[in-house]
Amino acid sequence: MTTPSAELHALPMPALARLLDEIGVGARHAPRVFQGLHRDGVPLDRIGQLGRHTARIAAATTPTAATFDAVHDNPDETRKLVVRFADGARVESVLVPMRDDRYTLCVSSQVGCAMACAFCATGTLGLTRSLTAGEIVAQVHLARALVADERRRVSRLVFMGMGEPLAAYDAVLDAIRILLDPHGPCFGAKNITVSTVGLVPRIAQLAADTGGRIQLALSLHAGTDATRARIVPIARRWPIAELRAALEAWPLPGSRALMVEVVALPGVNDGPADLDGIADFMRGLRGVVNVIPFNPFPSAPFRSPTDAEVLAMHRALSARGVLAKIRWPRGRGVAGACGQLMLAEPVAD
Ligand code: SAH
């Protein structure tokens, strides 16, 4: 039985159909309701042709409440959106312009984060709570409405905002189901990236639940367990060898590659042992390393690498046969770059 206060926007199509059946509206109305909520992005009472069913659905459900608290525009055209939910909890989402009329939206999965990675601003906040699927999807709806006025669209989603998506597993999976649904926003699976700190059993579960069709990114950050444990506390639980096995088992579609993220921290993870370890990790995997220059935040125990240091790390990985790219920062001016999301007012670099 679905509870009387089911969160309407958190229900994937099959769950919505079940609910409509249970409350006597009939499952056949599910596609129209779902399309109104998730493709057209309108409230329940603006979905046409439901007649008296509207009141029944309204009585049995709660809509997801999400509003903009602020929108910060960065000179590089990156936009940081502060989103507030019914209980006052807030998260940040980031719109990153791509070529043509497209944006990538970086979404949050939790209010704060429990992982406490040493180089991440969100990690300093601790965890307040996970978002619901409705709250994750709401970030997409709000961003789409914002860019519709500019005649641009959100074509890619990355779960790289606040939180560890695989620690909010059920909500993230339901959100992905809603976002992929042909009756809804209908994102392509290859355009949804889930980035994880590396919760090994959940990687296997995500592979099973999505068939490996979505894009997986692993935050590796080091090539030795000793260095990784220094900067990613959860590494003590899941050694690199187990992460490697989890990626190996990912059912990767033929044309695609896994993404492996390495934050550039000079003097911490750019020594020969770590670089060799990263190269060993990548050997035999169809994957690309993304080198991410460390983005600073107040109280950060590290400094930003110089461009020369980032280039040197990239060169050292390439020399070891690793396919690597550099993800140059976007959105630093509004504290909207990777690892800077901490709900503080923007500060200059
Ligand atoms: N919890 C998920 C998603 C969070 S962040 C994960 O760990 O993957 C997305 C990426 O930004 C991760 O690779 C994360 O390690 C990286 N990141 C975090 N803080 C950063 C910082 N200060 N500078 C650069 N990248 C950072």
Side-chain angles (χ1 to χ4, degrees):
M1 265 299 278
T2 313
T3 57
S5 59
E7 187 184 340
L8 184 58
H9 294 76
L11 301 173
M13 263 288 272
L16 178 65
R18 244 181 347 261
L19 173 80
L20 296 189
D21 199 39
E22 278 166 17
I23 63 174
V25 167
R28 68 184 184 286
H29 292 291
R32 193 200 333 274
V33 173
F34 192 91
Q35 198 168 310
L37 298 174
H38 295 297
R39 185 192 294 171
D40 309 334
V42 299
L44 177 64
D45 59 15
R46 297 242 322 269
I47 302 174
Q49 300 173 313
L50 287 173
R52 65 196 153 75
H53 295 318
T54 303
R56 277 214 181 154
I57 301 169
T61 61
T62 317
T64 304
T67 52
F68 284 130
D69 222 37
V71 176
H72 300 287
D73 291 322
N74 195 49
D76 70 3
E77 294 201 313
T78 300
R79 310 177 84 181
K80 183 164 85 170
L81 320 175
V82 184
V83 177
R84 177 187 291 271
F85 302 113
D87 64 350
R90 297 183 304 158
V91 297
E92 297 176 331
S93 327
V94 184
L95 274 165
V96 184
M98 311 303 282
R99 64 186 161 72
D100 309 329
D101 60 344
R102 288 148 194 249
Y103 274 109
T104 293
L105 180 69
C106 177
V107 293
S108 292
S109 53
Q110 297 184 308
V111 182
C113 186
M115 297 298 133
C117 300
F119 48 80
C120 180
T122 310
T124 65
L125 303 176
L127 177 68
T128 302
R129 66 173 176 90
S130 289
L131 298 187
T132 65
E135 290 170 332
I136 294 169
V137 172
Q139 295 170 66
V140 182
H141 289 326
L142 285 170
R144 286 168 94 211
L146 190 72
V147 304
D149 298 345
E150 310 168 15
R151 303 204 172 284
R152 297 179 77 153
R153 62 201 187 86
V154 176
S155 61
R156 287 195 62 217
L157 292 179
V158 294
F159 283 82
M160 294 187 187
M162 299 169 73
E164 166 49 42
L166 299 191
Y169 189 84
D170 294 343
V172 166
L173 184 65
D174 276 352
I176 290 172
R177 290 188 165 136
I178 292 168
L179 294 163
L180 292 177
D181 198 295
H183 296 285
C186 198
F187 280 89
K190 68 175 190 315
N191 292 327
I192 296 185
T193 301
V194 171
S195 179
T196 178
V197 72
L199 307 183
V200 167
R202 298 271 168 83
I203 294 175
Q205 198 180 343
L206 190 66
D209 287 337
T210 65
R213 287 161 54 244
I214 59 159
Q215 175 71 47
L216 183 71
L218 171 71
S219 292
L220 182 63
H221 300 315
T224 60
D225 284 317
T227 304
R228 194 162 192 267
R230 255 184 78 195
I231 53 180
V232 178
I234 198 78
R236 293 183 199 121
R237 180 82 181 77
W238 306 113
I240 291 175
E242 291 188 35
L243 289 177
R244 178 66 175 68
L247 292 206
E248 180 95 52
W250 184 268
L252 192 65
S255 56
R256 302 251 295 280
L258 296 160
M259 194 190 289
V260 173
E261 294 153 302
V262 175
V263 61
L265 293 168
V268 178
N269 64 355
D270 62 349
D274 278 296
L275 295 171
D276 288 345
I278 294 168
D280 287 346
F281 188 92
M282 297 308 290
R283 199 159 294 123
L285 265 192
R286 207 160 63 243
V288 182
V289 168
N290 264 284
V291 177
I292 315 175
F294 167 69
N295 292 305
F297 56 92
S299 84
F302 305 107
R303 67 169 175 86
S304 291
T306 63
D307 288 359
E309 285 168 328
V310 177
L311 290 166
M313 196 160 170
H314 178 262
R315 212 173 317 114
L317 288 168
S318 302
R320 286 166 168 82
V322 175
L323 185 58
K325 293 183 188 168
I326 299 174
R327 194 194 291 160
W328 293 108
R330 317 275 304 265
R332 272 194 191 172
V334 291
C338 295
Q340 293 187 313
L341 304 182
M342 60 185 309
L343 291 160
E345 283 305 304
V347 289
D349 268 7

Short mmCIF file of all heavy atoms in Angstrom, two decimals, residues 115-167:
data_model
loop_
_atom_site.label_atom_id
_atom_site.label_comp_id
_atom_site.label_asym_id
_atom_site.label_seq_id
_atom_site.Cartn_x
_atom_site.Cartn_y
_atom_site.Cartn_z
N MET A 115 30.64 12.02 3.86
CA MET A 115 31.89 11.37 3.44
C MET A 115 33.15 12.10 3.93
O MET A 115 34.20 11.49 4.08
CB MET A 115 31.94 11.21 1.92
CG MET A 115 30.83 10.32 1.38
SD MET A 115 30.96 8.63 2.03
CE MET A 115 29.28 8.32 2.50
N ALA A 116 33.02 13.41 4.13
CA ALA A 116 34.11 14.20 4.73
C ALA A 116 35.44 14.10 3.98
O ALA A 116 36.50 14.01 4.61
CB ALA A 116 34.30 13.81 6.21
N CYS A 117 35.42 14.09 2.66
CA CYS A 117 36.66 14.12 1.89
C CYS A 117 37.40 15.41 2.21
O CYS A 117 36.79 16.48 2.31
CB CYS A 117 36.39 14.01 0.40
SG CYS A 117 35.53 12.48 -0.04
N ALA A 118 38.71 15.30 2.40
CA ALA A 118 39.49 16.43 2.94
C ALA A 118 39.51 17.64 2.02
O ALA A 118 39.73 18.75 2.47
CB ALA A 118 40.91 15.97 3.22
N PHE A 119 39.27 17.41 0.73
CA PHE A 119 39.41 18.49 -0.26
C PHE A 119 38.07 19.06 -0.69
O PHE A 119 38.00 19.81 -1.66
CB PHE A 119 40.15 17.94 -1.50
CG PHE A 119 39.56 16.63 -1.96
CD1 PHE A 119 38.41 16.62 -2.72
CD2 PHE A 119 40.13 15.44 -1.57
CE1 PHE A 119 37.83 15.42 -3.11
CE2 PHE A 119 39.55 14.22 -1.96
CZ PHE A 119 38.41 14.23 -2.73
N CYS A 120 36.97 18.67 -0.03
CA CYS A 120 35.63 19.05 -0.50
C CYS A 120 34.92 19.93 0.51
O CYS A 120 34.80 19.57 1.68
CB CYS A 120 34.81 17.80 -0.78
SG CYS A 120 33.14 18.15 -1.36
N ALA A 121 34.42 21.07 0.05
CA ALA A 121 33.73 22.02 0.92
C ALA A 121 32.46 21.40 1.52
O ALA A 121 32.16 21.58 2.70
CB ALA A 121 33.37 23.29 0.15
N THR A 122 31.72 20.64 0.71
CA THR A 122 30.47 20.05 1.21
C THR A 122 30.77 19.12 2.39
O THR A 122 29.98 19.03 3.34
CB THR A 122 29.74 19.26 0.09
OG1 THR A 122 29.63 20.08 -1.07
CG2 THR A 122 28.36 18.83 0.53
N GLY A 123 31.91 18.45 2.33
CA GLY A 123 32.30 17.52 3.38
C GLY A 123 32.47 18.18 4.74
O GLY A 123 32.38 17.51 5.77
N THR A 124 32.69 19.50 4.75
CA THR A 124 32.85 20.20 6.04
C THR A 124 31.50 20.41 6.73
O THR A 124 31.45 20.76 7.90
CB THR A 124 33.52 21.58 5.87
OG1 THR A 124 32.66 22.43 5.09
CG2 THR A 124 34.88 21.48 5.16
N LEU A 125 30.42 20.22 5.99
CA LEU A 125 29.09 20.52 6.54
C LEU A 125 28.52 19.37 7.36
O LEU A 125 27.62 19.56 8.17
CB LEU A 125 28.09 20.82 5.41
CG LEU A 125 28.44 21.97 4.45
CD1 LEU A 125 27.39 22.06 3.34
CD2 LEU A 125 28.52 23.28 5.21
N GLY A 126 29.00 18.15 7.11
CA GLY A 126 28.33 16.98 7.68
C GLY A 126 27.03 16.74 6.95
O GLY A 126 26.63 17.52 6.09
N LEU A 127 26.36 15.64 7.30
CA LEU A 127 25.12 15.29 6.60
C LEU A 127 23.91 15.74 7.40
O LEU A 127 23.80 15.45 8.58
CB LEU A 127 25.05 13.76 6.39
CG LEU A 127 23.77 13.26 5.72
CD1 LEU A 127 23.69 13.72 4.27
CD2 LEU A 127 23.68 11.74 5.81
N THR A 128 23.01 16.47 6.76
CA THR A 128 21.72 16.78 7.38
C THR A 128 20.72 15.70 7.01
O THR A 128 20.15 15.04 7.88
CB THR A 128 21.21 18.16 6.93
OG1 THR A 128 22.18 19.14 7.28
CG2 THR A 128 19.88 18.51 7.59
N ARG A 129 20.52 15.49 5.72
CA ARG A 129 19.63 14.41 5.29
C ARG A 129 19.81 14.17 3.79
O ARG A 129 20.38 15.00 3.09
CB ARG A 129 18.16 14.75 5.58
CG ARG A 129 17.61 15.94 4.78
CD ARG A 129 16.10 16.07 5.02
NE ARG A 129 15.53 17.25 4.36
CZ ARG A 129 15.03 17.26 3.13
NH1 ARG A 129 15.09 16.18 2.37
NH2 ARG A 129 14.51 18.37 2.63
N SER A 130 19.30 13.03 3.32
CA SER A 130 19.27 12.77 1.89
C SER A 130 18.06 13.49 1.30
O SER A 130 17.07 13.75 1.99
CB SER A 130 19.14 11.28 1.61
OG SER A 130 20.34 10.62 1.94
N LEU A 131 18.14 13.81 0.03
CA LEU A 131 16.98 14.36 -0.66
C LEU A 131 16.03 13.22 -1.02
O LEU A 131 16.43 12.06 -1.06
CB LEU A 131 17.41 15.10 -1.93
CG LEU A 131 18.32 16.31 -1.74
CD1 LEU A 131 18.52 17.03 -3.09
CD2 LEU A 131 17.75 17.28 -0.71
N THR A 132 14.78 13.58 -1.32
CA THR A 132 13.85 12.60 -1.89
C THR A 132 14.02 12.64 -3.41
O THR A 132 14.62 13.57 -3.97
CB THR A 132 12.40 12.99 -1.56
OG1 THR A 132 12.09 14.23 -2.23
CG2 THR A 132 12.19 13.16 -0.06
N ALA A 133 13.48 11.62 -4.06
CA ALA A 133 13.53 11.61 -5.53
C ALA A 133 12.85 12.86 -6.08
O ALA A 133 13.32 13.46 -7.05
CB ALA A 133 12.86 10.35 -6.07
N GLY A 134 11.76 13.27 -5.44
CA GLY A 134 11.04 14.46 -5.90
C GLY A 134 11.91 15.70 -5.79
O GLY A 134 11.87 16.58 -6.66
N GLU A 135 12.72 15.79 -4.74
CA GLU A 135 13.58 16.96 -4.56
C GLU A 135 14.74 16.95 -5.55
O GLU A 135 15.21 18.01 -5.98
CB GLU A 135 14.09 17.00 -3.11
CG GLU A 135 12.97 17.35 -2.12
CD GLU A 135 13.38 17.16 -0.66
OE1 GLU A 135 14.26 16.31 -0.38
OE2 GLU A 135 12.79 17.83 0.20
N ILE A 136 15.20 15.78 -5.91
CA ILE A 136 16.26 15.71 -6.94
C ILE A 136 15.68 16.14 -8.28
O ILE A 136 16.25 16.99 -8.98
CB ILE A 136 16.84 14.27 -7.01
CG1 ILE A 136 17.57 13.95 -5.71
CG2 ILE A 136 17.78 14.14 -8.21
CD1 ILE A 136 17.97 12.48 -5.55
N VAL A 137 14.52 15.59 -8.63
CA VAL A 137 13.89 15.93 -9.91
C VAL A 137 13.51 17.41 -9.93
O VAL A 137 13.60 18.07 -10.98
CB VAL A 137 12.67 15.01 -10.15
CG1 VAL A 137 11.88 15.46 -11.36
CG2 VAL A 137 13.12 13.56 -10.31
N ALA A 138 13.11 17.95 -8.79
CA ALA A 138 12.71 19.37 -8.73
C ALA A 138 13.85 20.29 -9.15
O ALA A 138 13.62 21.34 -9.77
CB ALA A 138 12.24 19.72 -7.31
N GLN A 139 15.09 19.92 -8.82
CA GLN A 139 16.23 20.75 -9.25
C GLN A 139 16.28 20.82 -10.78
O GLN A 139 16.59 21.87 -11.36
CB GLN A 139 17.55 20.17 -8.74
CG GLN A 139 17.68 20.18 -7.23
CD GLN A 139 18.90 19.35 -6.78
OE1 GLN A 139 20.04 19.71 -7.06
NE2 GLN A 139 18.65 18.26 -6.10
N VAL A 140 15.94 19.73 -11.42
CA VAL A 140 15.94 19.71 -12.88
C VAL A 140 14.80 20.57 -13.42
O VAL A 140 14.99 21.38 -14.34
CB VAL A 140 15.80 18.25 -13.41
CG1 VAL A 140 15.84 18.22 -14.93
CG2 VAL A 140 16.90 17.37 -12.81
N HIS A 141 13.62 20.44 -12.82
CA HIS A 141 12.47 21.23 -13.29
C HIS A 141 12.74 22.73 -13.13
O HIS A 141 12.44 23.52 -14.01
CB HIS A 141 11.20 20.85 -12.52
CG HIS A 141 10.68 19.50 -12.88
ND1 HIS A 141 10.77 18.98 -14.15
CD2 HIS A 141 10.07 18.54 -12.15
CE1 HIS A 141 10.22 17.77 -14.18
NE2 HIS A 141 9.80 17.48 -12.96
N LEU A 142 13.29 23.11 -11.98
CA LEU A 142 13.56 24.54 -11.74
C LEU A 142 14.58 25.07 -12.76
O LEU A 142 14.41 26.14 -13.32
CB LEU A 142 14.08 24.76 -10.32
CG LEU A 142 13.04 24.68 -9.20
CD1 LEU A 142 13.74 24.68 -7.83
CD2 LEU A 142 12.05 25.84 -9.27
N ALA A 143 15.63 24.28 -13.00
CA ALA A 143 16.67 24.72 -13.93
C ALA A 143 16.13 24.79 -15.35
O ALA A 143 16.42 25.73 -16.10
CB ALA A 143 17.87 23.77 -13.86
N ARG A 144 15.31 23.81 -15.72
CA ARG A 144 14.75 23.83 -17.08
C ARG A 144 13.88 25.06 -17.28
O ARG A 144 13.92 25.70 -18.33
CB ARG A 144 13.91 22.58 -17.33
CG ARG A 144 14.72 21.33 -17.53
CD ARG A 144 13.83 20.13 -17.48
NE ARG A 144 13.36 19.71 -18.78
CZ ARG A 144 12.19 19.12 -19.00
NH1 ARG A 144 11.35 18.91 -18.02
NH2 ARG A 144 11.86 18.74 -20.21
N ALA A 145 13.08 25.40 -16.28
CA ALA A 145 12.22 26.57 -16.40
C ALA A 145 13.06 27.84 -16.53
O ALA A 145 12.73 28.74 -17.30
CB ALA A 145 11.29 26.65 -15.18
N LEU A 146 14.16 27.88 -15.78
CA LEU A 146 15.02 29.06 -15.81
C LEU A 146 15.64 29.26 -17.20
O LEU A 146 15.69 30.38 -17.70
CB LEU A 146 16.13 28.90 -14.76
CG LEU A 146 17.00 30.11 -14.47
CD1 LEU A 146 16.20 31.14 -13.68
CD2 LEU A 146 18.23 29.70 -13.67
N VAL A 147 16.10 28.20 -17.82
CA VAL A 147 16.80 28.35 -19.09
C VAL A 147 15.85 28.36 -20.29
O VAL A 147 16.25 28.75 -21.38
CB VAL A 147 17.91 27.28 -19.30
CG1 VAL A 147 18.89 27.32 -18.15
CG2 VAL A 147 17.34 25.89 -19.48
N ALA A 148 14.62 27.95 -20.07
CA ALA A 148 13.65 27.98 -21.17
C ALA A 148 13.49 29.40 -21.69
O ALA A 148 13.36 29.62 -22.90
CB ALA A 148 12.30 27.42 -20.71
N ASP A 149 13.54 30.37 -20.77
CA ASP A 149 13.42 31.79 -21.17
C ASP A 149 14.55 32.20 -22.09
O ASP A 149 14.41 33.13 -22.87
CB ASP A 149 13.50 32.70 -19.93
CG ASP A 149 12.37 32.42 -18.97
OD1 ASP A 149 11.41 31.75 -19.39
OD2 ASP A 149 12.45 32.87 -17.81
N GLU A 150 15.70 31.53 -21.97
CA GLU A 150 16.86 31.88 -22.82
C GLU A 150 16.88 31.03 -24.08
O GLU A 150 17.85 31.04 -24.81
CB GLU A 150 18.18 31.58 -22.09
CG GLU A 150 18.31 32.12 -20.71
CD GLU A 150 19.53 31.50 -20.01
OE1 GLU A 150 20.40 30.90 -20.67
OE2 GLU A 150 19.61 31.63 -18.79
N ARG A 151 15.85 30.25 -24.26
CA ARG A 151 15.81 29.32 -25.42
C ARG A 151 16.99 28.37 -25.40
O ARG A 151 17.59 28.05 -26.42
CB ARG A 151 15.77 30.07 -26.75
CG ARG A 151 14.62 31.03 -26.85
CD ARG A 151 14.21 31.35 -28.26
NE ARG A 151 12.98 32.13 -28.28
CZ ARG A 151 11.77 31.62 -28.06
NH1 ARG A 151 11.61 30.34 -27.84
NH2 ARG A 151 10.71 32.40 -28.07
N ARG A 152 17.38 27.97 -24.19
CA ARG A 152 18.42 26.96 -24.07
C ARG A 152 17.84 25.79 -23.31
O ARG A 152 16.81 25.90 -22.68
CB ARG A 152 19.63 27.53 -23.31
CG ARG A 152 20.28 28.67 -24.04
CD ARG A 152 21.44 29.22 -23.28
NE ARG A 152 22.60 28.36 -23.40
CZ ARG A 152 23.84 28.80 -23.29
NH1 ARG A 152 24.09 30.06 -23.05
NH2 ARG A 152 24.86 27.96 -23.40
N ARG A 153 18.52 24.64 -23.39
CA ARG A 153 17.96 23.50 -22.69
C ARG A 153 19.02 22.75 -21.88
O ARG A 153 20.21 22.87 -22.14
CB ARG A 153 17.25 22.56 -23.66
CG ARG A 153 18.14 21.99 -24.69
CD ARG A 153 17.31 21.51 -25.87
NE ARG A 153 18.17 20.81 -26.80
CZ ARG A 153 18.48 19.53 -26.70
NH1 ARG A 153 17.97 18.80 -25.72
NH2 ARG A 153 19.30 18.98 -27.55
N VAL A 154 18.52 22.01 -20.91
CA VAL A 154 19.39 21.19 -20.07
C VAL A 154 19.46 19.83 -20.74
O VAL A 154 18.46 19.12 -20.83
CB VAL A 154 18.80 21.05 -18.65
CG1 VAL A 154 19.65 20.10 -17.82
CG2 VAL A 154 18.68 22.42 -17.98
N SER A 155 20.62 19.48 -21.27
CA SER A 155 20.69 18.22 -22.02
C SER A 155 21.48 17.14 -21.28
O SER A 155 21.41 15.97 -21.63
CB SER A 155 21.27 18.43 -23.41
OG SER A 155 22.57 18.94 -23.31
N ARG A 156 22.26 17.54 -20.27
CA ARG A 156 23.02 16.53 -19.50
C ARG A 156 22.86 16.78 -18.01
O ARG A 156 22.76 17.93 -17.57
CB ARG A 156 24.51 16.61 -19.83
CG ARG A 156 24.88 16.08 -21.20
CD ARG A 156 26.39 15.86 -21.26
NE ARG A 156 26.80 14.88 -20.28
CZ ARG A 156 27.94 14.93 -19.58
NH1 ARG A 156 28.80 15.91 -19.76
NH2 ARG A 156 28.23 13.99 -18.71
N LEU A 157 22.86 15.71 -17.26
CA LEU A 157 22.77 15.80 -15.80
C LEU A 157 23.94 15.08 -15.19
O LEU A 157 24.28 13.97 -15.61
CB LEU A 157 21.52 15.08 -15.29
CG LEU A 157 20.18 15.68 -15.64
CD1 LEU A 157 19.11 14.78 -15.05
CD2 LEU A 157 20.09 17.07 -15.06
N VAL A 158 24.55 15.69 -14.21
CA VAL A 158 25.62 15.01 -13.48
C VAL A 158 25.30 15.06 -11.99
O VAL A 158 24.99 16.12 -11.46
CB VAL A 158 27.02 15.61 -13.80
CG1 VAL A 158 27.40 15.36 -15.25
CG2 VAL A 158 27.10 17.10 -13.50
N PHE A 159 25.35 13.90 -11.33
CA PHE A 159 25.16 13.86 -9.87
C PHE A 159 26.51 14.15 -9.25
O PHE A 159 27.18 13.28 -8.71
CB PHE A 159 24.62 12.50 -9.43
CG PHE A 159 23.15 12.31 -9.70
CD1 PHE A 159 22.70 11.93 -10.94
CD2 PHE A 159 22.21 12.53 -8.69
CE1 PHE A 159 21.33 11.75 -11.20
CE2 PHE A 159 20.85 12.35 -8.92
CZ PHE A 159 20.41 11.97 -10.18
N MET A 160 26.92 15.43 -9.36
CA MET A 160 28.22 15.85 -8.83
C MET A 160 28.07 17.07 -7.92
O MET A 160 29.02 17.78 -7.65
CB MET A 160 29.19 16.19 -9.97
CG MET A 160 29.58 15.01 -10.84
SD MET A 160 30.86 15.47 -12.01
CE MET A 160 30.97 13.98 -13.01
N GLY A 161 26.86 17.31 -7.48
CA GLY A 161 26.64 18.42 -6.55
C GLY A 161 26.89 17.97 -5.13
O GLY A 161 27.75 17.13 -4.86
N MET A 162 26.12 18.51 -4.19
CA MET A 162 26.31 18.18 -2.78
C MET A 162 25.85 16.74 -2.53
O MET A 162 24.82 16.31 -3.03
CB MET A 162 25.51 19.14 -1.91
CG MET A 162 25.96 20.60 -2.09
SD MET A 162 24.85 21.79 -1.32
CE MET A 162 25.24 21.52 0.39
N GLY A 163 26.63 16.03 -1.73
CA GLY A 163 26.21 14.71 -1.29
C GLY A 163 26.84 13.57 -2.05
O GLY A 163 27.48 13.75 -3.08
N GLU A 164 26.67 12.37 -1.50
CA GLU A 164 27.16 11.14 -2.13
C GLU A 164 25.92 10.42 -2.69
O GLU A 164 25.12 9.87 -1.92
CB GLU A 164 27.90 10.29 -1.10
CG GLU A 164 28.17 8.86 -1.51
CD GLU A 164 28.78 8.70 -2.90
OE1 GLU A 164 29.69 9.47 -3.26
OE2 GLU A 164 28.33 7.81 -3.64
N PRO A 165 25.76 10.41 -4.02
CA PRO A 165 24.53 9.86 -4.59
C PRO A 165 24.25 8.42 -4.19
O PRO A 165 23.10 8.04 -3.98
CB PRO A 165 24.71 9.99 -6.11
CG PRO A 165 26.05 10.59 -6.34
CD PRO A 165 26.64 11.00 -5.04
N LEU A 166 25.30 7.60 -4.03
CA LEU A 166 25.03 6.20 -3.70
C LEU A 166 24.72 6.01 -2.22
O LEU A 166 24.30 4.92 -1.81
CB LEU A 166 26.18 5.29 -4.17
CG LEU A 166 26.42 5.31 -5.68
CD1 LEU A 166 27.38 4.18 -6.08
CD2 LEU A 166 25.14 5.23 -6.50
N ALA A 167 24.87 7.06 -1.42
CA ALA A 167 24.40 7.02 -0.03
C ALA A 167 22.94 7.44 0.06
O ALA A 167 22.31 7.32 1.11
CB ALA A 167 25.28 7.91 0.85
#
